[in-house]
Amino acid sequence: MKLFHGTNTIVKNPEIRVSGYNKDFGFGFYCTNLERQAQRWAMAKRNPHIVCVYNYEPDDRLNVKSFPMMTDEWLDFVAACRHGESHPYDIVEGPMADDEVWDYVEDFLSGRITREAFWALAKFKHPTHQILFCTDKALKTLTYQSNYEL
């Protein structure tokens, strides 16, 4: 499977990053199978805007959590990760909670909106996808292929 990573530097040897703010699925190395999404990620960085391309070979020995769509389980998982909780997975894959959706998550967690209201507000206008490589074992499934600058 071809995956993309939007950034401002060429990343031939991805690393697990465990700093910065808490993200949807926790810390690690994020990619997507949606090239346009990786381009948006790259454009959000300072120059240069680079998209790195990888080949991903799944490994059945890894502990993988997959969310095919946004569900209550996905919402609870994202909320826990965004609050700094850890999980036991090598790889986590599923939809993104972009900034707008995250605002709805915060409203839900604070009790300002119900779970039902969250789902009504969180409908995407375009598909999203992210796959997080959480461990060094998981990174071994990625092979750098190429990159291009936007």
Side-chain angles (χ1 to χ4, degrees):
M1 173 191 312
K2 188 182 284 191
L3 295 177
F4 306 93
H5 176 77
T7 185
N8 60 0
T9 185
I10 297 170
V11 183
K12 291 185 178 181
N13 299 300
E15 298 174 349
I16 303 301
R17 296 292 169 116
V18 291
S19 63
Y21 64 93
N22 295 322
K23 299 178 181 169
D24 288 358
F25 297 152
F27 293 115
F29 185 73
Y30 280 85
C31 291
T32 180
N33 62 11
L34 301 171
E35 189 170 6
R36 286 185 49 91
Q37 184 174 300
Q39 292 169 349
R40 286 192 297 271
W41 287 348
M43 293 304 291
K45 306 283 186 185
R46 61 178 163 70
N47 278 328
H49 308 293
I50 297 172
V51 174
C52 295
V53 183
Y54 303 90
N55 184 52
Y56 167 54
E57 291 289 334
D59 181 341
D60 292 338
R61 297 171 294 180
L62 297 178
N63 189 10
V64 178
K65 180 66 177 172
S66 182
F67 296 98
M69 60 180 40
M70 290 193 304
T71 61
D72 283 340
E73 181 187 15
W74 170 88
L75 175 59
D76 294 339
F77 190 88
V78 168
C81 290
R82 288 277 186 128
H83 281 109
E85 295 180 31
S86 61
H87 57 74
Y89 301 106
D90 296 302
I91 296 174
V92 182
E93 180 176 15
M96 276 178 39
D98 63 13
D99 290 340
E100 184 177 354
V101 171
W102 180 243
D103 289 342
Y104 303 146
V105 171
E106 285 288 314
D107 289 342
F108 165 71
L109 292 174
S110 69
R112 288 189 293 271
I113 63 172
T114 65
R115 189 175 290 266
E116 293 75 21
F118 168 84
W119 289 117
L121 292 167
K123 293 180 182 175
F124 286 106
K125 295 184 171 112
H126 55 84
T128 62
H129 172 266
Q130 60 189 341
I131 182 167
L132 173 65
F133 298 85
C134 309
T135 63
D136 289 331
K137 290 187 304 187
L139 287 178
K140 291 182 189 322
T141 65
L142 282 180
T143 305
Y144 172 83
Q145 298 295 303
S146 63
N147 71 81
Y148 62 90
E149 192 171 331
L150 301 172

